[in-house]
Each structure stands twice: as structure tokens, then as C-alpha cells.
Amino acid sequence: MPEPLEHIGGLVCLDFANTVGPRRTRPDKDAHDHLADFASLIEWSTAAGTIGANRAGLLRKRVRRDAEAAWGALSRAKQLREAIYAVFAAIAQGDEPPGQALTHLQQAYAEAMRHADLISTPTGLDWNWSPRGELDCVLWPVARSAVETAISADFDRIKECLGHDGSCGWLFYDTSKNGSRRWCSMSACGTWEKTSRRGSTSRKG
């Protein structure tokens, strides 16, 4: 698993699903949740480009005023994250996505678009999210990404990294020319595989 957290999924929704890992843990290896608190969620959203610095500042002020609301929003974020993982892990494995997870995505998307305004930008039209101080605003771009990906993406390109021991489970959208990407990140799982192969070749020599 990449550490510190890398945005390797290629899509906002997949990167969000990857904020906990390894996904397929062994009994002797615990998963690490990168969303320990709402402040972590704000940091992730800023790094992912789903919220700007001004909105991040407003959210930090809101969190300081209402810690209970922040924990509630964090809980909803993690519920959305698990629904996204359930849907796209199933797709990556060639299985039918769970109906409950699909329903959760549909409801999250409907709630997100209730707060969306279509506006003009320098490059065309895009969605703008309001109100700016609502804690759940960090979830709206993620929910939109998940549903739009589920509707329009090439499912053959949605993959799950198993890592060298089958424990990774991070999701990514394979944009390689021949669709041959196997790893969440060449700096982590892929590097381990290359090192392992090099050692095996050396022993044979």
C-alpha cells in the first residue's frame, strides 16, 4: 500500500474508496483508515481538488463550532465510501454490484444534485455546490463521480489491486493503452513485485 496516501485511482470516487486499506486484510495486518476525523476528510477533499481553499476554511470553522455534527458527517462519508467500494469492487471482479450499495449511491447522488447549480465557467458549464458551509458538501462531488462512473465508464478498465499477498484491494481505473495495469501503484505493490522477480531471477542465475 502506498504510504503516505496517494491518489492513484484515476477517478475521484475510486480514490475515495481507497482512503482505507489494505482492503483485504490478513488476520495479522490491520487496515489503516486515512479518514480519522473530519479534518482528515477536509484535507483529502482539498488534495483531491473537490473543494477549494475557501470552502475548506469555512468547513474547519464549522467543525470547531460543532464537533457532533462533524462526527455525523464523517460517519455518512464512511457509509458512502463503503457503498462505493462494494459497487466497484464487484464490477472489478465481474460480479453484480450489491443492490443495497447501489441504492445508497442513488440516494447520495440525489441529495448531491439537490445542492447543485449549473453555472458558466471560463471553460464552459459546470456544477457548483451550495451552501458553502454545509459539512456534507465534501460528499457531493464524490457521489456524483461514483454515479457518473457507474453509468459511463468502461467496466473492463475498473480494476482491483491484489498486491503481492492478495491483501491490497485498492481500486483504480486502468488508462494504459492495452489495459495491462495490475497494481495500485508502481511505487508500492508494483515495486514489491519487481523486486521479487529480480530476486527470483538472481537465485536462478
Short mmCIF file of all heavy atoms in Angstrom, two decimals, residues 40-67:
data_model
loop_
_atom_site.label_atom_id
_atom_site.label_comp_id
_atom_site.label_asym_id
_atom_site.label_seq_id
_atom_site.Cartn_x
_atom_site.Cartn_y
_atom_site.Cartn_z
N SER A 40 -9.36 15.29 8.57
CA SER A 40 -8.70 14.46 7.57
C SER A 40 -9.51 14.42 6.28
O SER A 40 -8.94 14.41 5.18
CB SER A 40 -8.54 13.02 8.10
OG SER A 40 -7.79 13.01 9.29
N LEU A 41 -10.83 14.42 6.41
CA LEU A 41 -11.69 14.42 5.23
C LEU A 41 -11.57 15.74 4.47
O LEU A 41 -11.54 15.75 3.24
CB LEU A 41 -13.14 14.18 5.66
CG LEU A 41 -14.20 14.16 4.56
CD1 LEU A 41 -13.85 13.16 3.46
CD2 LEU A 41 -15.57 13.83 5.15
N ILE A 42 -11.45 16.83 5.20
CA ILE A 42 -11.24 18.13 4.54
C ILE A 42 -9.90 18.13 3.79
O ILE A 42 -9.81 18.58 2.65
CB ILE A 42 -11.28 19.27 5.57
CG1 ILE A 42 -12.66 19.39 6.19
CG2 ILE A 42 -10.87 20.60 4.92
CD1 ILE A 42 -12.73 20.38 7.34
N GLU A 43 -8.86 17.61 4.42
CA GLU A 43 -7.54 17.55 3.79
C GLU A 43 -7.58 16.69 2.54
O GLU A 43 -7.00 17.04 1.51
CB GLU A 43 -6.52 17.01 4.78
CG GLU A 43 -6.22 17.95 5.93
CD GLU A 43 -5.28 17.33 6.95
OE1 GLU A 43 -4.74 16.24 6.67
OE2 GLU A 43 -5.08 17.93 8.02
N TRP A 44 -8.26 15.55 2.63
CA TRP A 44 -8.35 14.68 1.45
C TRP A 44 -9.10 15.39 0.33
O TRP A 44 -8.67 15.34 -0.84
CB TRP A 44 -9.08 13.37 1.79
CG TRP A 44 -9.18 12.48 0.60
CD1 TRP A 44 -8.27 11.55 0.19
CD2 TRP A 44 -10.22 12.49 -0.39
NE1 TRP A 44 -8.70 10.97 -0.98
CE2 TRP A 44 -9.88 11.53 -1.37
CE3 TRP A 44 -11.41 13.21 -0.53
CZ2 TRP A 44 -10.69 11.26 -2.48
CZ3 TRP A 44 -12.21 12.95 -1.64
CH2 TRP A 44 -11.85 11.99 -2.60
N SER A 45 -10.19 16.03 0.65
CA SER A 45 -11.00 16.70 -0.36
C SER A 45 -10.22 17.83 -1.04
O SER A 45 -10.32 18.02 -2.26
CB SER A 45 -12.28 17.26 0.28
OG SER A 45 -13.04 16.23 0.87
N THR A 46 -9.44 18.55 -0.26
CA THR A 46 -8.62 19.62 -0.82
C THR A 46 -7.57 19.05 -1.76
O THR A 46 -7.36 19.55 -2.87
CB THR A 46 -7.95 20.43 0.30
OG1 THR A 46 -8.95 20.93 1.19
CG2 THR A 46 -7.18 21.60 -0.27
N ALA A 47 -6.90 17.98 -1.32
CA ALA A 47 -5.87 17.35 -2.15
C ALA A 47 -6.47 16.75 -3.42
O ALA A 47 -5.83 16.75 -4.48
CB ALA A 47 -5.15 16.27 -1.35
N ALA A 48 -7.70 16.24 -3.33
CA ALA A 48 -8.37 15.64 -4.49
C ALA A 48 -8.92 16.69 -5.44
O ALA A 48 -9.32 16.36 -6.56
CB ALA A 48 -9.49 14.72 -4.03
N GLY A 49 -8.97 17.94 -4.99
CA GLY A 49 -9.48 19.01 -5.84
C GLY A 49 -10.99 19.11 -5.87
O GLY A 49 -11.54 19.79 -6.74
N THR A 50 -11.66 18.47 -4.92
CA THR A 50 -13.12 18.52 -4.91
C THR A 50 -13.67 19.71 -4.14
O THR A 50 -14.85 20.06 -4.28
CB THR A 50 -13.71 17.22 -4.33
OG1 THR A 50 -13.18 17.01 -3.01
CG2 THR A 50 -13.35 16.03 -5.22
N ILE A 51 -12.84 20.32 -3.29
CA ILE A 51 -13.21 21.58 -2.66
C ILE A 51 -12.01 22.51 -2.73
O ILE A 51 -10.85 22.05 -2.81
CB ILE A 51 -13.65 21.42 -1.18
CG1 ILE A 51 -12.50 20.91 -0.31
CG2 ILE A 51 -14.87 20.53 -1.08
CD1 ILE A 51 -12.83 20.93 1.18
N GLY A 52 -12.27 23.80 -2.70
CA GLY A 52 -11.20 24.78 -2.74
C GLY A 52 -10.78 25.23 -1.36
O GLY A 52 -11.38 24.85 -0.34
N ALA A 53 -9.76 26.08 -1.30
CA ALA A 53 -9.22 26.53 -0.02
C ALA A 53 -10.24 27.33 0.78
O ALA A 53 -10.32 27.20 2.02
CB ALA A 53 -7.96 27.36 -0.27
N ASN A 54 -11.03 28.16 0.11
CA ASN A 54 -12.02 28.97 0.83
C ASN A 54 -13.07 28.11 1.50
O ASN A 54 -13.42 28.32 2.66
CB ASN A 54 -12.69 29.96 -0.13
CG ASN A 54 -11.76 31.06 -0.58
OD1 ASN A 54 -10.73 31.32 0.06
ND2 ASN A 54 -12.09 31.71 -1.69
N ARG A 55 -13.56 27.12 0.76
CA ARG A 55 -14.58 26.24 1.35
C ARG A 55 -13.97 25.40 2.47
O ARG A 55 -14.61 25.18 3.51
CB ARG A 55 -15.20 25.34 0.29
CG ARG A 55 -16.26 24.40 0.84
CD ARG A 55 -17.13 23.80 -0.23
NE ARG A 55 -17.93 24.82 -0.88
CZ ARG A 55 -19.01 24.52 -1.62
NH1 ARG A 55 -19.39 23.26 -1.78
NH2 ARG A 55 -19.70 25.47 -2.19
N ALA A 56 -12.74 24.97 2.29
CA ALA A 56 -12.06 24.19 3.34
C ALA A 56 -11.97 25.01 4.63
O ALA A 56 -12.18 24.50 5.73
CB ALA A 56 -10.68 23.77 2.87
N GLY A 57 -11.65 26.30 4.49
CA GLY A 57 -11.57 27.16 5.66
C GLY A 57 -12.91 27.30 6.36
O GLY A 57 -12.99 27.27 7.60
N LEU A 58 -13.98 27.45 5.60
CA LEU A 58 -15.32 27.55 6.18
C LEU A 58 -15.69 26.26 6.93
O LEU A 58 -16.28 26.30 8.00
CB LEU A 58 -16.35 27.82 5.08
CG LEU A 58 -16.33 29.21 4.44
CD1 LEU A 58 -17.29 29.24 3.26
CD2 LEU A 58 -16.69 30.28 5.46
N LEU A 59 -15.32 25.13 6.35
CA LEU A 59 -15.64 23.85 6.98
C LEU A 59 -14.86 23.67 8.27
O LEU A 59 -15.40 23.15 9.26
CB LEU A 59 -15.35 22.70 6.01
CG LEU A 59 -16.24 22.63 4.78
CD1 LEU A 59 -15.76 21.53 3.84
CD2 LEU A 59 -17.70 22.40 5.17
N ARG A 60 -13.61 24.08 8.29
CA ARG A 60 -12.81 23.97 9.51
C ARG A 60 -13.43 24.80 10.64
O ARG A 60 -13.46 24.37 11.80
CB ARG A 60 -11.37 24.40 9.25
CG ARG A 60 -10.59 23.43 8.35
CD ARG A 60 -9.12 23.80 8.28
NE ARG A 60 -8.41 22.90 7.38
CZ ARG A 60 -8.11 23.19 6.11
NH1 ARG A 60 -8.45 24.40 5.62
NH2 ARG A 60 -7.48 22.33 5.36
N LYS A 61 -13.92 25.99 10.30
CA LYS A 61 -14.58 26.83 11.30
C LYS A 61 -15.84 26.15 11.81
O LYS A 61 -16.15 26.18 13.01
CB LYS A 61 -14.92 28.19 10.70
CG LYS A 61 -13.70 29.05 10.41
CD LYS A 61 -14.11 30.38 9.78
CE LYS A 61 -12.90 31.23 9.46
NZ LYS A 61 -13.29 32.52 8.81
N ARG A 62 -16.60 25.54 10.90
CA ARG A 62 -17.85 24.86 11.29
C ARG A 62 -17.55 23.67 12.21
O ARG A 62 -18.26 23.44 13.20
CB ARG A 62 -18.57 24.39 10.03
CG ARG A 62 -19.78 23.50 10.29
CD ARG A 62 -20.99 24.27 10.78
NE ARG A 62 -22.05 23.37 11.20
CZ ARG A 62 -22.89 22.75 10.38
NH1 ARG A 62 -22.80 22.95 9.06
NH2 ARG A 62 -23.83 21.95 10.86
N VAL A 63 -16.47 22.95 11.91
CA VAL A 63 -16.10 21.79 12.73
C VAL A 63 -15.74 22.23 14.14
O VAL A 63 -16.11 21.57 15.13
CB VAL A 63 -14.92 21.04 12.08
CG1 VAL A 63 -14.32 20.03 13.04
CG2 VAL A 63 -15.37 20.35 10.80
N ARG A 64 -15.03 23.33 14.27
CA ARG A 64 -14.65 23.81 15.60
C ARG A 64 -15.88 24.23 16.41
O ARG A 64 -15.89 24.10 17.64
CB ARG A 64 -13.68 24.98 15.48
CG ARG A 64 -12.28 24.57 15.03
CD ARG A 64 -11.28 25.69 15.24
NE ARG A 64 -11.50 26.82 14.34
CZ ARG A 64 -10.94 26.96 13.15
NH1 ARG A 64 -10.11 26.01 12.70
NH2 ARG A 64 -11.18 28.01 12.40
N ARG A 65 -16.91 24.67 15.73
CA ARG A 65 -18.13 25.11 16.42
C ARG A 65 -19.04 23.93 16.77
O ARG A 65 -19.79 24.00 17.75
CB ARG A 65 -18.92 26.09 15.55
CG ARG A 65 -18.24 27.42 15.32
CD ARG A 65 -19.25 28.45 14.81
NE ARG A 65 -20.00 27.97 13.66
CZ ARG A 65 -19.64 28.19 12.40
NH1 ARG A 65 -18.53 28.86 12.13
NH2 ARG A 65 -20.38 27.72 11.40
N ASP A 66 -18.99 22.88 15.97
CA ASP A 66 -19.97 21.80 16.15
C ASP A 66 -19.31 20.44 15.89
O ASP A 66 -19.42 19.87 14.80
CB ASP A 66 -21.14 22.01 15.19
CG ASP A 66 -22.35 21.16 15.54
OD1 ASP A 66 -22.19 20.19 16.31
OD2 ASP A 66 -23.46 21.46 15.05
N ALA A 67 -18.63 19.94 16.89
CA ALA A 67 -17.91 18.67 16.76
C ALA A 67 -18.87 17.50 16.54
O ALA A 67 -18.56 16.57 15.79
CB ALA A 67 -17.06 18.41 18.00
#
